[in-house]
């Protein structure tokens, strides 16, 4: 820089500075002779002009002039200097702002070399309030050239952006904290994530500690921290609030209820240094961690305060928001934790249920096997048995098999759920396998008048299936189709597609309400009040089909229109890449005969031939007559056989038949199952009670469950009794007997009444007769008197006649004969009239 020639008029300069605000006065008053710029009087015109320009500007500007970088600034710049003012006026710029030089040094020097520099929101540390302070500035350094074109000084407008920049940074931290906390599965996870996020906010929060309190608020455990390692003096892992073994005043913090500010951190923890700066931490704040809806605090959070930021109002505002954000995150984690605990509990129940099913199924299998074996032995010799004995054994055998099938299904299910199922996938001709399975159903389907269409064209390559599982899939779907279809038909089709094979079982049955479709494959789900061939069912069949399809890497699905029919589809992938190598069998596995149980069972719903076996009642029958209704053929035959020893039984398969039979020939008693397709037991009861012929006929209901709603409504509607299944034969017979006896007593009582009434009536009639007799006697007497009078008259007239004849002497004997006859006949009539 070149030296300046003295001003010819220093007074002008001084006057000019007068208009330069407070700094103008200061510059004017200052003795510049002691500075590198020398006395004002000697200042060059360009310096004076520049100083004038700076002092009269409202924008914060500093001027750097001369070889010693002497700084002159205006009123706007003055606050930037903070505690450095007024020493900073006229001070060497690089000395004054030495702490910022690591950041601004380069641009400062390049401006002196003639290149203008502009920096925006530059972060720097200024030592203007007695400590290094984190600040942000937008500024430029522009060279000022003298008359010779040399750089004589720098023009340095500057604006402080500290609060804007720190505000943005804190907003970001709070936003990140919220985002990180979202979806935390537990409070501890939420606090860990909060600590991790605050690791990036160390400039504002040099350290953070998160303690959780135990239930009785006596012990606080450190669950997450940042800025300080856990277990240090300032971050004990466990703090006992009662013993006060932590220097943090935890009890007071909890009692305070709001954010608790501590300015004595160095007293509590001498020498504590942490976070990004080497200065001793002096201040912190702490508050309770609370979750919405929690009656008491669940923890305590402590945040350190930056050593390089002033405690201006923005800082506590930030701490308040920070605490609130942590509490929000904790609240949502708390909700997630509660939800998870609920789900865990449900899962636990489900697991327990699976284990229970597995155990109970096992337990059932042993006695069932022990029942089946002797039954089968006996049946092997059945040819020598009397028919009723054989039939009884067959019923027991069939039902033991059915029970075994149910138990096996449950066991299959629990095995799948426990992941303990071992599939044997074999390369199979799926078309042939499926046709074989479908054909087993043909006779049952056709017997009920449905069409049966099996369309399974040969598939070029083998398909990998577990035979037993495939069998269960096909048979379950077919059994359902038969159960829920009353007209039309059933179609089974197999269709090879690009990547999979598709089995469809379509029926024209009752269909499924649209709201039930999503639940169809859930375990134990059944559509309420669906019309079916039987009420039997557990709601487990489709769930099993789905699980089995899944085990094949496939899916099961259903489409249906209520009232029109349903299509169930199972798709399984072609090839075997999707299957575990150890589950692929080279040798075909033994086929278990699960199909037999299915066919036996479905036969029961469609076998109407059996109904008639016990229905014919001889017309000469004198035993009491019972109408007995149940849709289950075995149950029907069993009970019919029980009763038929003493009674004439009409066994029917449904409610309608029961009513028709009872009205046509009123029985002595009606026994009916409650659950039957079509008209159920309650319906039968109502129909009988509504008809005079059966109004008083005893009706006993058979119920599947004790305490059933239907049972109580049955009794309310006038059923005489109900019996819960299973029942002992003796009990059933005893109840039937007692109701028949009661009915007989009622009938006899009624007879006695009728008899008494008849006697009464007879007496009245006798009385009437007696009165009539007396009257007729009197009438006879009157008649007799009349007769005597008549005889006397007759005699008189005979004598008169004789006299007349004698006198006339004409045809004597003829007249005499006539008269004699007339007299006799008259007498005779009179005698008869008397005696009768
Ligand atoms: P279940 O037949 O033992 O009740 P499933 O799991 O086999 O149990 O079937 C569940 C429910 O789905 C049945 O209760 C029935 O309401 C409905 N459903 C199944 N198959 C059909 C079908 N083909 N047509 C109509 N409804 C069906």
């Amino acid at each position: 820089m070149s030296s300046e020639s003295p001003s010819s008029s220093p007074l002008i300069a001084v006057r000019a500075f007068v208009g330069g605000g407070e700094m103008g006065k200061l510059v004017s008053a200052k003795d510049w002779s002691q500075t590198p710029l020398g006395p004002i009087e000697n200042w060059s015109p360009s310096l004076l002009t520049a100083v004038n320009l700076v002092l009269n500007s409202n924008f914060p500007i500093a001027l750097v002039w001369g070889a010693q970088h002497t700084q002159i600034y205006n009123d706007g710049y003055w606050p930037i200097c903070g505690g450095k003012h007024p020493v900073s006026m006229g001070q060497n710029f690089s000395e004054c702002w030495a702490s910022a030089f690591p950041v601004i040094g380069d641009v400062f020097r390049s401006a002196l070399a003639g290149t203008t520099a502009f920096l925006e929101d530059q972060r720097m540390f200024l030592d203007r309030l007695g400590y290094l302070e984190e600040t942000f500035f937008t500024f430029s350094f522009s060279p000022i050239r003298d008359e010779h074109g040399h750089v004589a000084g720098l023009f340095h407008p500057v604006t402080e952006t500290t609060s804007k920049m720190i505000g943005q940074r804190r907003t970001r931290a709070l936003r990140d904290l919220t985002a990180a906390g979202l979806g935390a599965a537990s409070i501890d996870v939420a606090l860990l994530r909060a600590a991790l996020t605050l690791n990036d906010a160390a400039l504002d929060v040099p350290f953070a500690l998160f303690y959780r309190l135990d239930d009785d608020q006596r012990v606080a455990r450190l669950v997450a921290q940042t800025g300080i390692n856990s277990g240090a003096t300032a971050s004990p892992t466990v703090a006992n609030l009662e013993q006060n073994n932590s220097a943090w005043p935890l009890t007071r913090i909890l009692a305070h209820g709001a954010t608790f500010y501590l300015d004595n951190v160095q007293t509590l923890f001498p020498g504590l240094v942490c976070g990004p700066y080497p200065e001793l931490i002096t201040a912190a704040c702490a508050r309770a961690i609370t979750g919405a809806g929690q009656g008491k605090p669940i923890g305590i959070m402590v945040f350190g305060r930056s050593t390089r930021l002033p405690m201006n109002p923005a800082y506590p505002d930030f701490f308040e928001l920070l605490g609130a954000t942590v509490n929000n995150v904790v609240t949502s984690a708390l909700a997630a934790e509660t939800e998870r605990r609920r789900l865990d509990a449900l899962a636990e129940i489900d697991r327990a249920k699976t284990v229970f099913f597995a155990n109970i199924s096992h337990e059932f299998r042993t006695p069932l096997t022990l029942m089946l074996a002797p039954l089968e032995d006996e049946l092997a010799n059945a040819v020598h048995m009397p028919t009723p004995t054989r039939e009884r054994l067959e019923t027991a055998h069939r039902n033991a098999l059915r029970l075994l099938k149910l138990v096996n299904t449950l066991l299959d299910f629990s095995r799948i759920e426990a992941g303990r199922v071992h599939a044997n996938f074999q390369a199979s001709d799926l078309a042939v396998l499926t046709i074989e399975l479908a054909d087993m159903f043909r006779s049952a389907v056709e017997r009920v008048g449905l069409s049966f269409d099996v369309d399974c064209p040969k598939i070029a390559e083998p398909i990998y299936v577990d035979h037993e599982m495939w069998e269960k899939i096909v048979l379950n779907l077919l059994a359902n189709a038969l159960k829920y279809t009353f007209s039309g038909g059933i179609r089974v089709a197999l269709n090879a597609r690009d990547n999979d094979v598709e089995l469809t079982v379509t029926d024209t049955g009752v269909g499924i309400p649209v709201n039930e479709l999503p639940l169809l494959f859930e375990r134990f789900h059944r559509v309420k009040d669906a019309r079916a061939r039987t009420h039997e069912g557990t709601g487990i069949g489709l769930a099993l089909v789905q699980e089995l399809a899944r085990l094949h890497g496939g899916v099961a699905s259903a489409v249906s229109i209520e009232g029109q029919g349903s299509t169930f589809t199972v798709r399984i992938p072609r090839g075997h890449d999707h299957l575990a190598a150890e589950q692929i069998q080279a040798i075909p596995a033994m086929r278990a005969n699960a199909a037999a149980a299915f066919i036996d069972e479905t036969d029961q719903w469609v076998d109407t031939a059996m109904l008639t076996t016990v229905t014919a009642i001889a017309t000469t029958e004198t035993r009491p007559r019972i109408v007995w209704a149940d849709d289950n053929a075995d149950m029907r035959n069993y009970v019919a056989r029980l009763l038929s020893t003493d009674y004439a039984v009409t066994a029917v398969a449904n409610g309608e038949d029961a009513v028709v039979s009872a009205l046509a020939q009123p029985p002595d008693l009606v026994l009916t199952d409650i659950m039957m397709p079509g008209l159920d037991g309650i319906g039968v009861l109502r129909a009988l009670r509504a008809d005079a012929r059966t109004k008083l006929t005893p009706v006993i209901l058979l119920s599947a469950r004790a305490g059933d709603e239907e049972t109580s409504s049955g009794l309310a509607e006038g059923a005489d009794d109900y019996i819960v299944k299973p029942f002992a034969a003796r009990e059933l017979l005893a109840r039937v007997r007692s109701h028949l006896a009661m009915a007989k007593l009622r009938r006899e009582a009624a007879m006695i009444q009728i008899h008494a009434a008849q006697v009464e009536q007879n007496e009245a009639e006798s009385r009437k007769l007696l009165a009539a007799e007396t009257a007729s006697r009197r009438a006879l007497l009157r008649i007799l008197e009349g007769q005597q009078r008549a005889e006397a008259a007759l005699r008189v007239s005979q004598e008169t006649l004789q006299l007349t004849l004698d006198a006339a002497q004409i045809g004597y004997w003829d007249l005499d004969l006539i008269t004699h006859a007339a007299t006799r006949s008259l007498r005779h009539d009179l005698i008869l009239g008397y005696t009768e």
Side-chain angles (χ1 to χ4, degrees):
M1 260 179 268
S2 61
S3 60
E4 302 289 323
S5 54
S7 160
S8 54
S9 180
L11 281 176
I12 294 167
V14 173
R15 245 183 276 126
F17 296 158
V18 168
E22 288 302 303
M23 294 307 108
K25 288 183 206 154
L26 183 67
V27 172
S28 307
K30 186 172 169 76
D31 176 10
W32 291 94
S33 61
Q34 301 304 309
T35 75
L37 293 184
I40 279 188
E41 299 78 25
N42 297 343
W43 286 6
S44 69
S46 48
L47 173 57
L48 284 173
T49 308
V51 171
N52 255 317
L53 190 70
V54 167
L55 291 178
N56 283 289
S57 172
N58 288 330
F59 196 84
I61 304 172
L63 181 71
V64 179
W65 201 266
Q68 298 304 311
H69 306 153
T70 308
Q71 134 178 294
I72 295 172
Y73 47 83
N74 62 6
D75 282 3
Y77 194 89
W78 172 19
I80 293 171
C81 299
K84 291 177 178 292
H85 183 82
V87 178
S88 49
M89 184 63 90
Q91 198 184 3
N92 183 317
F93 182 88
S94 15
E95 266 171 32
C96 177
W97 302 115
S99 63
F101 257 68
V103 177
I104 65 171
D106 285 350
V107 286
F108 180 79
R109 283 182 285 273
S110 77
L112 287 178
T115 310
T116 299
F118 174 74
L119 285 183
E120 203 173 356
D121 296 325
Q122 184 62 52
R123 176 169 176 256
M124 60 188 79
F125 296 101
L126 296 188
D127 171 20
R128 54 182 174 179
L129 296 168
Y131 63 94
L132 272 187
E133 185 194 347
E134 185 190 14
T135 58
F136 291 82
F137 288 95
T138 292
F139 59 89
S140 72
F141 285 113
S142 318
I144 305 172
R145 294 179 188 273
D146 61 16
E147 321 52 55
H148 311 290
H150 299 123
V151 176
L154 298 178
F155 186 70
H156 177 43
V158 60
T159 179
E160 182 164 4
T161 56
T162 306
S163 55
K164 175 189 89 173
M165 292 304 287
I166 287 181
Q168 284 177 358
R169 188 171 75 197
R170 289 173 177 170
T171 305
R172 224 169 18 246
L174 293 171
R175 192 196 58 206
D176 291 351
L177 191 62
T178 303
L182 275 182
S186 68
I187 295 176
D188 286 4
V189 170
L191 294 177
L192 268 169
R193 289 191 190 172
L196 265 175
T197 313
L198 289 180
N199 199 26
D200 296 335
L203 295 176
D204 295 300
V205 188
F207 74 89
L209 304 172
F210 295 101
Y211 283 92
R212 269 197 83 170
L213 288 164
D214 64 356
D215 281 345
D216 48 13
Q217 316 250 306
R218 272 189 284 187
V219 177
R221 279 168 224 283
L222 186 64
V223 289
Q225 83 290 335
T226 183
I228 317 181
N229 291 334
S230 74
T233 328
S235 54
T237 51
V238 180
N240 191 314
L241 274 68
E242 283 178 341
Q243 293 165 6
N244 246 340
N245 66 347
S246 156
W248 295 111
L250 297 179
T251 315
R252 278 171 60 206
I253 292 168
L254 281 181
H256 187 60
T259 307
F260 188 92
Y261 288 90
L262 298 105
D263 289 321
N264 57 343
V265 172
Q266 278 307 311
T267 322
L268 300 174
F269 309 104
L272 178 66
V273 172
C274 62
Y277 307 125
E279 292 89 343
L280 296 173
I281 298 280
T282 55
C285 68
R287 69 186 263 187
I289 300 175
T290 54
Q294 300 293 297
K296 50 190 183 181
I298 50 180
I300 297 167
M301 50 188 153
V302 186
F303 303 120
R305 205 183 86 192
S306 170
T307 51
R308 293 194 178 181
L309 286 173
M311 190 59 173
N312 57 16
Y315 219 149
D317 283 352
F318 169 64
F319 279 134
E320 290 301 327
L321 283 173
L322 183 60
T325 306
V326 169
N327 283 340
N328 284 342
V329 163
V330 162
T331 297
S332 81
L334 204 72
E337 217 172 73
T338 312
E339 178 61 12
R340 203 199 57 230
R341 249 184 266 131
R342 198 179 68 85
L343 291 178
D344 282 353
L346 285 178
E348 186 47 47
I349 291 171
D350 210 47
R351 259 195 302 281
K353 207 161 64 181
T354 302
V355 170
F356 171 74
F357 283 141
N359 291 345
I360 202 86
S361 307
H362 263 300
E363 291 306 311
F364 276 137
R365 269 156 66 101
T366 314
L368 272 173
T369 314
L370 292 175
M371 277 163 61
L372 275 167
L375 278 172
E376 277 160 14
D377 285 351
E378 284 300 307
L379 281 170
N381 298 318
V383 269
H384 308 298
M385 281 178 197
T387 310
T389 314
R390 199 193 62 235
E391 281 179 4
R392 272 201 294 275
L393 283 183
E394 279 170 357
T395 304
H397 182 243
R398 200 164 35 245
N399 281 285
L401 271 182
R402 179 164 169 240
L403 199 55
L404 188 64
K405 180 183 154 244
L406 276 176
V407 166
N408 281 342
T409 310
L410 277 176
L411 201 59
D412 279 348
F413 214 93
S414 49
R415 277 214 199 101
I416 293 171
E417 288 218 324
R420 278 191 290 113
V421 79
H422 300 292
N424 289 318
F425 298 108
Q426 305 169 43
S428 316
D429 185 337
L430 200 60
V432 168
L433 185 61
T434 309
I435 291 168
E436 270 177 26
L437 292 169
D439 273 350
M440 289 197 238
F441 262 83
R442 184 172 294 282
S443 92
V445 174
E446 289 176 351
R447 231 180 315 156
V448 292
L450 298 177
S451 66
F452 194 50
D453 180 14
V454 180
D455 176 20
C456 303
K458 189 165 177 57
I459 300 169
E461 93 237 13
I463 303 298
Y464 285 80
V465 290
D466 177 302
H467 281 204
E468 249 183 80
M469 293 184 188
W470 185 252
E471 191 171 277
K472 282 176 189 157
I473 291 175
V474 175
L475 296 180
N476 263 300
L477 294 181
L478 272 173
N480 277 350
L482 178 58
K483 190 155 139 188
Y484 297 103
T485 307
F486 293 87
S487 63
I490 298 173
R491 181 169 193 275
V492 182
L494 200 63
N495 182 16
R497 311 186 328 147
D498 283 350
N499 300 316
D500 55 29
V501 178
E502 182 184 76
L503 166 78
T504 50
V505 176
T506 306
D507 64 57
T508 54
V510 297
I512 296 152
V514 70
N515 58 324
E516 293 281 349
L517 280 172
L519 307 170
L520 216 54
F521 291 95
E522 274 180 19
R523 190 161 46 147
F524 304 126
H525 185 79
R526 307 193 69 206
V527 178
K528 206 169 178 294
D529 298 330
R531 184 168 169 239
R533 287 190 187 279
T534 171
H535 273 290
E536 287 163 10
T538 49
I540 203 171
L542 289 179
L544 185 66
V545 166
Q546 187 178 52
E547 289 304 325
L548 295 175
R550 266 193 209 140
L551 287 171
H552 282 80
V555 287
S557 60
V559 287
S560 183
I561 299 177
E562 203 177 354
Q564 293 188 19
S566 317
T567 295
F568 285 83
T569 303
V570 170
R571 294 198 184 104
I572 57 165
R574 298 168 78 145
H576 55 70
D577 293 346
H578 57 287
L579 303 172
E582 69 276 7
Q583 294 198 324
I584 298 176
Q585 270 265 319
I587 309 150
M590 290 276 288
R591 277 277 289 282
N593 196 7
F598 267 95
I599 306 305
D600 266 5
E601 196 176 329
T602 48
D603 268 353
Q604 294 294 301
W605 325 322
V606 299
D607 199 348
T608 45
M610 298 180 78
L611 313 185
T612 52
T613 55
V614 284
T615 54
I617 302 290
T619 45
T620 54
E621 180 65 63
T622 52
R623 295 176 301 170
R625 181 170 167 260
I626 296 177
V627 169
W628 154 230
D630 195 326
D631 58 322
N632 179 295
D634 276 331
M635 180 58 77
R636 190 166 60 243
N637 287 338
Y638 170 67
V639 171
R641 249 195 310 272
L642 271 183
L643 296 174
S644 59
T645 322
D646 297 319
Y647 311 105
V649 182
T650 302
V652 293
N654 57 58
E656 288 87 353
D657 287 354
V659 174
V660 168
S661 169
L663 294 184
Q665 189 188 345
D668 296 284
L669 184 139
V670 173
L671 176 66
T672 174
D673 188 24
I674 291 188
M675 292 244 291
M676 286 187 293
L679 188 69
D680 62 5
I682 305 288
V684 170
L685 175 65
R686 276 191 203 134
L688 297 184
R689 289 289 174 260
D691 194 291
R693 286 168 288 178
T694 49
K695 206 177 171 63
L696 300 172
T697 308
V699 176
I700 304 181
L701 297 175
L702 234 74
S703 151
R705 282 164 296 177
D708 218 323
E709 241 176 66
E710 286 142 326
T711 308
S712 36
S713 75
L715 287 177
E717 298 221 17
D720 294 78
D721 202 353
Y722 77 93
I723 299 177
V724 179
K725 288 187 207 167
F727 49 82
R730 219 163 351 131
E731 185 200 351
L732 176 77
L733 287 173
R735 299 249 200 135
V736 166
R737 210 178 300 125
S738 78
H739 280 287
L740 280 171
M742 273 188 327
K744 192 166 168 235
L745 277 177
R746 272 203 299 271
R747 266 202 313 275
E748 281 172 2
M751 285 301 288
I752 289 170
Q753 261 182 356
I754 290 169
H755 190 72
Q758 258 172 4
V759 168
E760 173 90 1
Q761 195 184 349
N762 287 349
E763 274 177 4
E765 269 165 18
S766 309
R767 272 194 301 276
K768 253 194 278 171
L769 268 177
L770 207 66
E773 199 181 44
T774 315
S776 46
R777 273 177 211 272
R778 276 194 204 120
L780 272 173
L781 279 174
R782 269 196 307 275
I783 290 166
L784 269 176
E785 283 165 12
Q787 189 188 353
Q788 283 163 357
R789 272 197 302 273
E791 277 182 15
L794 183 63
R795 261 192 319 273
V796 172
S797 40
Q798 274 177 335
E799 283 162 9
T800 311
L801 183 63
Q802 187 63 48
L803 284 174
T804 313
L805 285 173
D806 286 347
Q809 293 184 355
I810 304 162
Y812 173 75
W813 70 268
D814 282 329
L815 274 176
D816 183 53
L817 199 68
I818 294 165
T819 312
H820 183 73
T823 311
R824 271 190 61 135
S825 94
L826 180 64
R827 236 186 229 143
H828 182 75
D829 285 347
L830 285 173
I831 288 163
L832 278 180
Y834 176 71
T835 51
E836 275 179 11

